Amino acid sequence: MIKSRRVAITGIGLITPLGIGKEQNFDALFEGRSGISRITKFDPSALNSQIAGEVKNFNPQGYLSIKECKRMDLFCQYAVCAAKMALQDSGFEIKENNA
């Protein structure tokens, strides 16, 4: 039998085609803007569809060191940066145990 557990969402971090961070995303949603546009990260001319939702203006260096950025795939950078945004948004602080 699966026991249900309670979950509390305490912070939010968003990296989406609508923007970076909760403010940009919420503003775009409320204004009815779309994150879908012509593909710019590669030449899509050989594809049937040439539109997609791309993350634009993403700079991971506000959350990761240059060394970390070089070691991570772009999608891992998205995940780690969004997690750090959510943690920051929650106000939760991780303190090292010096005992």
Side-chain angles (χ1 to χ4, degrees), residues 8-91:
I9 299 173
T10 58
I12 188 168
L14 297 167
I15 298 174
T16 77
L18 291 177
I20 309 299
K22 68 179 183 180
E23 291 84 8
Q24 287 184 13
N25 275 272
F26 290 157
D27 288 347
L29 283 170
F30 291 132
E31 293 170 9
R33 282 188 267 138
S34 173
I36 307 301
S37 61
R38 183 165 165 71
I39 296 171
T40 61
K41 295 196 184 266
F42 62 89
D43 179 12
S45 59
L47 302 174
N48 289 335
S49 177
Q50 299 181 5
I51 59 170
E54 295 179 318
V55 174
K56 295 180 175 86
N57 304 316
F58 174 65
N59 181 5
Q61 294 175 5
Y63 296 90
L64 302 170
S65 70
I66 293 172
K67 187 176 182 180
E68 289 173 315
C69 291
K70 289 181 180 181
R71 290 183 173 180
M72 280 186 213
D73 178 78
L74 179 61
F75 294 97
C76 290
Q77 292 176 14
Y78 291 160
V80 171
C81 291
K84 287 186 175 190
M85 285 178 194
L87 192 59
Q88 183 179 16
D89 184 54
S90 75

